[in-house]
Amino acid sequence: MSNKKRFSLLLVCMMALVMVLGACSTTKTNPSGGSAESNTAAQLDQIKQRGKLIVGVKYDTKLFGLKDPGSGKVEGFDVDMAHALAKSILGDESKVELKEVTSKTRIPMLNNGDVDMVIATMTITDARKKEVDFSDVYFQAGQSLLVKKGSPIQGIEDVTADTTILAAKGATSIDNIEEKVPGVKVLEFDNYQDAFNALKAGQGEALTTDDAILYGMAAQDPNYEVVGKPFTDEPYGIAVKKGQTGLVEAINKGLTDMKADGSYDELYKKWIGKAPESK
């Protein structure tokens, strides 16, 4: 082959390569593969084809998600919310598979594809928004303290650097208490039940998390009480994998419909014992 022919062939190959690369660059992709446009609806379509929601909930949080060791049944506000969304999205509230999550595991399990969504007393924060997407607020809580009755700690103002506070790993309550009381001692546990057991064993003076969770603990043992006014604002959101806008929209529609038809208020009263405060 002459040098001229070799040069012409090389030129043709280079032009073909440029065209291929140009075509690839015109299609936006995301880490999960496929176009960004198709992936916004991919998870919702997959859920509908599967015929059930796979939802991460807590198994250790009375009033929101607590597993009965005898029956094995998991009950609570978050669990009922999962069933309500199954009815909204799939037309059948029974089409739900529950998987246990903790404050530490809920984001990894979501991003690993183990669950479609997480409904687990999860506060919406700017830091978490970088990792997952959230629905509208579905429950409004505030951080407080649980102590043994008769404790000198009756509010955040009584907590000092010498106080030992108990908390669950991965919860925003740890950062909040450390910000409110610089130098405070914090012992972290894998879940709330372990933290509550530690409080009853005298390993700390107070347990901190959202007041809604603490009221559930106090209901388990009348020797303990929630003290002081909430010292943070904790809006709970339903988390989904980043970029699943179609699923977020379906969840938000379900929440809107529940609030419009009164079923949200009924669910709130069932577990919290009163109607939600109007904003």
Side-chain angles (χ1 to χ4, degrees), residues 45-176:
D45 290 341
Q46 181 181 340
I47 289 168
K48 290 180 177 179
Q49 291 174 7
R50 185 201 304 141
K52 68 177 178 180
L53 287 179
I54 302 175
V55 183
V57 299
K58 289 181 176 177
Y59 281 21
D60 68 334
T61 307
K62 190 173 177 66
L63 303 185
F64 285 85
L66 185 66
K67 185 176 182 178
D68 185 313
S71 67
K73 189 175 182 180
V74 186
E75 295 181 311
F77 184 91
D78 288 346
V79 175
D80 282 359
M81 184 63 67
H83 286 287
L85 289 175
K87 182 178 181 180
S88 175
I89 295 172
L90 299 173
D92 187 340
E93 65 178 15
S94 69
K95 302 298 185 180
V96 176
E97 178 184 340
L98 300 177
K99 288 193 176 183
E100 181 181 10
V101 299
T102 66
S103 295
K104 184 179 180 180
T105 65
R106 54 194 173 190
I107 290 180
M109 285 184 66
L110 184 63
N111 287 332
N112 288 339
D114 296 323
V115 294
D116 299 319
M117 63 184 71
V118 168
I119 313 177
T121 64
M122 191 170 180
T123 301
I124 301 170
T125 68
D126 290 337
R128 286 173 177 165
K129 284 180 180 179
K130 295 177 182 178
E131 299 184 83
V132 299
D133 285 339
F134 282 103
S135 69
D136 295 336
V137 175
Y138 78 94
F139 191 94
Q140 186 65 52
Q143 188 171 338
S144 195
L145 300 167
L146 179 73
V147 301
K148 189 171 184 178
K149 286 183 177 177
S151 170
I153 297 175
Q154 292 297 301
I156 187 64
E157 64 278 1
D158 297 321
V159 177
T160 70
D162 294 325
T163 306
T164 299
I165 298 293
L166 311 176
K169 292 178 181 178
T172 55
S173 53
I174 296 172
D175 294 334
N176 294 338

Side-chain angles (χ1 to χ4, degrees), residues 12-27:
V12 170
C13 291
M14 289 178 65
M15 291 178 66
L17 179 61
V18 169
M19 291 176 67
V20 169
L21 292 175
C24 291
S25 66
T26 60
T27 302

Side-chain angles (χ1 to χ4, degrees), residues 260-274:
D261 65 19
S263 57
Y264 178 86
D265 285 2
E266 291 177 8
L267 189 59
Y268 196 102
K269 290 176 185 176
K270 173 184 175 182
W271 292 105
I272 310 304
K274 61 179 182 179

